Amino acid sequence: MPDGPEVGGLMAHVLPRWQPWAALAAASLPIHFAWEMLQAPLYLPHERWAWLCAQASAGDVVITLLAYAGASWVPGTRAWIARPRATHVTAYLAIGLGVTVLLEFLSVYRWGRWAYGPNMPRLLGIGVAPLAQWIVVPALTLWLAKSYLKRYLGWTHSYS
């Protein structure tokens, strides 16, 4: 029998503080990698696409966790993933999108890590595919992590 408060007639687990972070990272990595590989043809050819996509996906997980941490500063609860408010989700998406814009700009125009191909649509010089990635993938990641935590662990919103 799980330890924790009763929720809807069921006992809910009290999760360790690291668990939402692990759920977000686990949900985020494969989805970001798939997106990175699908958008790779929009960049100039590179002999190490898979390696660059793997590195970018690891960085995407870090951005996801930073965005979650940043959104945790919004008034409410640090365990907001259990019951996300619009302000938390907006902060989460805005932080991820802001970091992405900065890193895309630096990687393309300053560091030369990669370059956009002719088919990459751009908005103010930044590729639309990575911008869309940071709206679609984090929203899906958030939903998957929340669903996992609630369904499989019986979590509501408290930490141990």
Side-chain angles (χ1 to χ4, degrees):
M1 190 72 157
D3 295 328
E6 188 170 322
V7 177
L10 300 172
M11 291 300 288
H13 287 284
V14 177
L15 291 182
R17 290 184 191 277
W18 59 266
Q19 187 60 53
W21 302 84
L24 279 168
S28 178
L29 184 62
I31 300 168
H32 275 296
F33 183 73
W35 187 289
E36 294 287 353
M37 291 298 289
L38 288 171
Q39 76 178 358
L42 297 174
Y43 291 84
L44 289 181
H46 196 282
E47 67 277 358
R48 297 174 34 178
W49 262 357
W51 177 244
L52 280 177
C53 288
Q55 287 179 320
S57 299
D60 293 333
V61 170
V62 171
I63 296 169
T64 299
L65 297 177
L66 288 172
Y68 178 70
S72 296
W73 284 91
V74 172
T77 175
R78 287 185 316 215
W80 65 268
I81 192 172
R83 294 185 186 160
R85 296 181 190 158
T87 53
H88 290 115
V89 176
T90 300
Y92 171 72
L93 295 175
I95 292 167
L97 194 56
V99 171
T100 297
V101 167
L102 176 65
L103 290 177
E104 279 292 312
F105 175 80
L106 293 173
S107 294
V108 171
Y109 300 109
R110 294 286 186 252
W111 302 331
R113 283 194 78 206
W114 54 78
Y116 298 138
N119 293 330
M120 172 69 84
R122 297 172 199 182
L123 180 63
L124 301 174
I126 302 297
V128 171
L131 295 176
Q133 176 181 1
W134 275 92
I135 295 168
V136 174
V137 175
L140 179 59
T141 296
L142 188 62
W143 179 79
L144 287 171
K146 175 186 169 189
S147 296
Y148 168 77
L149 292 167
K150 289 179 104 173
R151 180 174 299 140
Y152 297 106
L153 301 181
W155 184 53
T156 56
H157 65 279
S158 56
Y159 288 128
S160 62

